[in-house]
Amino acid sequence: MISRRKFLGAGAIGAAIIAPPWRVAAEDAPYMVQEPRPAAVPLAGVDKPAVSVWGYNGKVPGPLIRARRGERLRLRLKNGLEQPTTIHWHGIRIDNAMDGVPGLTQDAVLPGGEFDYSFIAPDAGTYWYHSHAKTWEQVARGLYGLLVIEEETAPKVDRDIAFAADDWRLDGDGQIDEQSFGAMHDWSHGGRMGNWLTVNGLTDPVIPVRAGERLRLRLINTANARTLAFDFDRLAAHVIALDGQPVPPSSPGVDGVILAPAQQADVIIDIDGKPGDAIPVWEVSTRYRLKAARLVISGKPPLRDRPPEEPVVLPANAPLPKLKPNDAKHIELVMEGGAMGGLREGSIDGKMFSIRELVEKKLVWAFNGKAGMQKQPLVAIPRGRTAVINMVNKTAFFHAMHLHGHHFRVIERDGKPVAGAPWRDTELVKRNEQVRIAFVADNPGKWLFHCHMLEHVAAGMITWIDVA
Ligand SMILES: [Cu+2]
């Protein structure tokens, strides 16, 4: 059996450009070490003091991990932090024991301790990994990286580029604002919003390209709480996958490629321009257009005169199991709480607490009146049955709802049926919105279902599903 994997850090000059992989025999393959540890990186700019972060193997983003679909990945977490930690492989329909959720699928790995992750990724696509312990601090400090699962037959592109975007909150000294970790205002409002944008751990990095090239950009939003949107200036862009799963090519439109926290997108871009041109990539989620990165065209002659006519269409992953709505288990999920949410009380494992008591516990959000993680699951569902979850957002905020171990699709929004929605692992639910999702609960185990705005999940927006 043949296996291959490769680890790359973010390149000093800009994006981590993905080079040809190397191969090793699986039985000889050593565990690749992922060591989260303190480091100093130039994320605020090369002319600014290095920023103290926590990074896997001292890098932000952590090493870029690649494997081919169906191959086994072996990764050894060695905890170089002074806090317990785990790694979650985001978006992978993974063996439950490898999902990395402390207290649910494994014990947290103590400082100095180790844990071996070994799993097969069943779907090709762009995914990521991140800490799943005290995420509101550990992910905010830099503990994340890109996980690329290659197709057996990769679509033809000239360059394959990682684009991991993050929203940092830096203080007056240009360091991570540690004073505001755990700030109640963030937890009860929209989460920890930053003031500094990076791509691949760099400020406005140069991404070298060549005229006439076709790029595949692998976008992820690793921010704690901010929804990001990217616009490629005068270049035509086509979205070909969302949350790892192929979609028919489509133009992103005037609002750009929108990524809620934790979402992933693959985008094809044809480089049109002349040597020396610098084409900005804009972050357009607010009225301030921020420069996220620059595509700089090299002096080489154009690779081709005009863009290839054929659009890139990704080969389908193994089809997800067919939904059976007529035999579905229906689950209601009322989202309540937060500032202006009017939550008066909530329960924890059957015991009622007033909102004042909940605030003392820093639990200010609830699902179905239950604040935070409970001993009982939201639902226990037999393996193979279709689950339909009706999310009703009664809060004044958006929530990026993430399901572990499965992909789901939206089937109804605000009472109107939705057909042919993409398969996703994370869906943004707007304030006062109702969204019904469906998936086949075919992966046995205990799976979290939570808001990926990391202050919201810490402050109560978390539950789990038991598939047996
Ligand atoms: Cu939320």
Side-chain angles (χ1 to χ4, degrees), residues 335 365 397-401 451-453 456-457 461:
M335 309 156 83
W365 305 88
F397 295 88
F398 287 40
H399 302 291
M401 290 299 294
C451 179
H452 217 289
M453 287 148 174
H456 292 175
V457 57
M461 302 197 87

Side-chain angles (χ1 to χ4, degrees), residues 16-308:
I17 292 159
I18 298 168
W22 54 271
R23 288 177 168 276
V24 289
E27 50 268 39
D28 300 324
Y31 276 84
M32 291 300 177
V33 172
Q34 283 282 86
E35 186 187 13
R37 59 174 186 246
V41 298
L43 71 82
V46 284
D47 53 338
K48 300 264 174 56
V51 178
S52 297
V53 297
W54 296 350
Y56 290 105
N57 299 355
K59 293 177 161 65
V60 176
L64 192 154
I65 302 173
R66 288 176 79 87
R68 193 179 275 192
R69 180 181 157 207
E71 285 181 341
R72 184 165 289 277
L73 281 145
R74 287 185 179 77
L75 299 124
R76 177 163 296 159
L77 167 61
K78 283 190 176 181
N79 189 357
L81 307 173
E82 290 179 359
Q83 291 183 1
T85 195
T86 61
I87 303 178
H88 170 58
W89 311 93
H90 186 114
I92 304 292
R93 299 191 292 139
I94 200 169
D95 173 4
N96 190 245
M98 298 290 122
D99 198 39
V101 179
L104 192 69
T105 67
Q106 68 168 97
D107 292 332
V109 179
L110 298 176
E114 295 184 2
F115 187 88
D116 287 347
Y117 293 96
S118 168
F119 60 90
I120 289 171
D123 299 314
T126 298
Y127 304 99
W128 63 301
Y129 61 90
H130 60 78
S131 157
H132 218 294
K134 217 177 172 191
T135 52
W136 49 274
E137 178 179 359
Q138 293 194 4
V139 175
R141 288 185 185 272
L143 289 176
Y144 59 81
L146 206 74
L147 172 55
V148 170
I149 307 298
E150 298 168 347
E151 298 83 10
E152 283 95 337
T153 312
K156 193 167 166 8
V157 295
D158 303 304
R159 216 181 277 264
D160 189 328
I161 293 172
F163 196 98
D166 200 357
D167 172 45
W168 303 78
R169 189 184 290 180
L170 302 183
D171 64 17
D173 297 327
Q175 295 294 318
I176 291 174
D177 185 343
E178 297 179 328
Q179 296 299 321
S180 63
F181 274 132
M184 200 58 201
H185 187 275
D186 293 335
W187 287 39
S188 62
H189 289 71
R192 180 181 176 92
M193 295 294 175
N195 53 14
W196 198 268
L197 175 70
T198 62
V199 170
N200 300 333
L202 297 164
T203 300
D204 190 19
V206 166
I207 299 175
V209 297
R210 183 176 170 184
E213 271 186 335
R214 174 164 272 191
L215 314 180
R216 178 179 185 172
L217 252 55
R218 299 175 182 271
L219 276 62
I220 58 170
N221 178 358
T222 69
N224 278 37
R226 191 186 293 281
T227 293
L228 300 170
F230 295 98
D231 173 276
F232 301 94
D233 203 73
R234 61 184 165 80
L235 299 176
H238 288 94
V239 177
I240 59 165
L242 293 168
D243 294 355
Q245 298 292 349
V247 294
S250 69
S251 298
V254 290
D255 295 327
V257 178
I258 300 169
L259 296 166
Q263 286 184 327
Q264 312 115 65
D266 287 59
V267 177
I268 296 292
I269 293 176
D270 290 308
I271 298 298
D272 178 17
K274 49 184 195 311
D277 283 0
I279 305 160
V281 178
W282 301 97
E283 199 286 307
V284 295
S285 65
T286 66
R287 61 200 166 91
Y288 310 100
R289 286 167 70 84
L290 289 177
K291 261 190 198 164
R294 279 169 289 165
L295 300 165
V296 175
I297 301 179
S298 74
K300 288 184 184 165
L303 198 62
R304 53 179 74 82
D305 294 335
R306 62 174 68 110

